[in-house]
């Protein structure tokens, strides 16, 4: 793979994003009744799957060309909307996904390639993340850390904590922000926020998560960055309740599942079911889906 091969192709970015909802009234009533989560039927209402949408980042066909590492391409060919290709990309996956203990086909993917493989992150480079924790509830950092550890083991993806960020969540987040994060794809943004700051959290929505994929024209897609927005006041309220940490962890894991590329399923046993049952963490279908995502192709070309 080299730069010139792509000169006449148009890079495209797409966002695969879903939201996870909870009906707050029912949740509160259930806690008052002292019921278990499963019996209480915490309801994540209609999943609002926005579908895939294409966002053209270039000024036109053939103008946005990634340069090769260490070799700046010509000013005419290179635009600043993609980083130098292959940042931190190794020859082999950095880790291996954990083989699920039980087989299950109860999973779906947010985006697919033409060859039938799911769109995921390159396992040959670390996935950096930053946290906007200004509004994070007490104890939330530990929950995020644990959830990321769980997802990392399930996918084999290596996560790197780049620390705190002041970046605010945005529904049109730019995937390459060299002034903020240097010449690489922007890290995954985990933002503790509010419905005022992130309007998609208004109403019953408690969190949103998704990733942006990149391709050269009709070529294979890979996720290059993503974001996760968490309704801080709502989760803080949950954390004050019995089993609140398990519930909050389930929300974070569910949203990270979307970030990695999982879509909702109709199977209520799975964490990717849009209504939460018992907050037991990843189930067999979730694990098998994440295992498949961990086998995504490496991408030295982007
Ligand atoms: Zn969801």
């Amino acid at each position: 793979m080299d730069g010139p091969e792509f000169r006449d192709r148009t890079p495209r970015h797409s966002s695969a994003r879903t939201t996870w909802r909870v009906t707050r009234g029912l949740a509160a009533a259930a806690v008052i009744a002292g019921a278990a989560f499963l019996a209480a039927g915490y309801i994540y209402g209609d999943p609002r799957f926005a579908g895939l949408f294409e966002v053209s980042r270039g000024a036109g066909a053939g103008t946005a060309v990634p340069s090769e590492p260490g070799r700046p391409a010509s000013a005419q060919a290179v635009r600043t909307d993609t980083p130098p290709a292959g940042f931190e990309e190794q020859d082999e996956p950095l880790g291996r996904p954990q083989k699920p203990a039980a087989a299950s086909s109860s999973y779906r993917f947010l985006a697919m390639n033409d060859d039938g493989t799911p769109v995921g992150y390159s396992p040959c480079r670390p996935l950096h993340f930053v946290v906007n924790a200004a509004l994070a509830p007490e104890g939330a950092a530990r929950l995020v850390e644990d959830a990321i550890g769980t997802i990392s083991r399930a996918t084999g993806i290596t996560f790197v904590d780049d620390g705190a960020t002041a970046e605010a969540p945005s529904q049109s987040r730019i995937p390459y922000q060299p002034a903020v994060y240097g010449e690489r794809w922007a890290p995954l943004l985990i933002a503790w926020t509010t419905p005022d700051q992130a309007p998609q959290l208004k109403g019953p929505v408690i969190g949103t998560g998704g990733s942006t994929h990149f391709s050269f024209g009709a070529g294979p897609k890979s996720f290059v960055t993503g974001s996760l927005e968490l309704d801080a006041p709502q989760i803080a309220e949950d954390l004050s309740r019995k089993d609140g940490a398990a519930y909050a962890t389930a929300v974070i894991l569910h949203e990270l599942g979307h970030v990695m590329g999982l879509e909702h399923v109709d199977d209520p046993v799975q964490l990717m079911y849009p209504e939460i049952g018992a907050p037991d963490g990843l189930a067999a279908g979730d694990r098998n889906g994440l295992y498949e995502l961990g086998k995504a192709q490496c991408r030295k070309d982007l």
Side-chain angles (χ1 to χ4, degrees), residues 19-23 26 37-38 40-47 247 250 254 258 264-279:
T19 63
W20 205 22
R21 295 179 166 195
V22 61
T23 302
L26 283 180
F37 284 94
L38 184 58
Y42 267 73
I43 294 183
Y44 291 74
D46 299 328
Y247 171 74
H254 178 101
H258 285 317
H264 290 152
V265 292
D266 294 331
D267 175 2
V269 172
Q270 310 303 325
L271 192 57
M272 294 315 293
Y273 186 66
E275 302 176 15
I276 195 169

Side-chain angles (χ1 to χ4, degrees), residues 29-99:
V31 170
I32 291 165
F37 284 94
L38 184 58
Y42 267 73
I43 294 183
Y44 291 74
D46 299 328
R48 197 178 62 184
F49 178 49
L52 304 176
F53 55 93
E54 304 292 330
V55 181
S56 175
R57 300 287 184 192
T63 57
V65 181
S67 64
E68 289 180 276
R71 197 187 75 178
S74 72
Q76 292 86 349
V78 173
R79 293 181 52 82
T80 56
D81 55 5
T82 57
F87 179 74
E88 293 186 331
E89 182 85 10
Q90 305 298 308
D91 292 332
E92 300 289 334
L94 306 183
R96 300 287 175 187
Q98 201 170 56
K99 182 90 176 160

Side-chain angles (χ1 to χ4, degrees), residues 129-157:
F129 67 95
V130 290
V131 181
N132 185 333
L135 299 173
E138 196 178 331
R142 172 75 189 278
L143 301 182
V144 170
E145 194 179 306
D146 288 351
I148 283 180
T150 298
I151 295 295
S152 179
R153 287 187 292 276
T155 57
I157 296 287

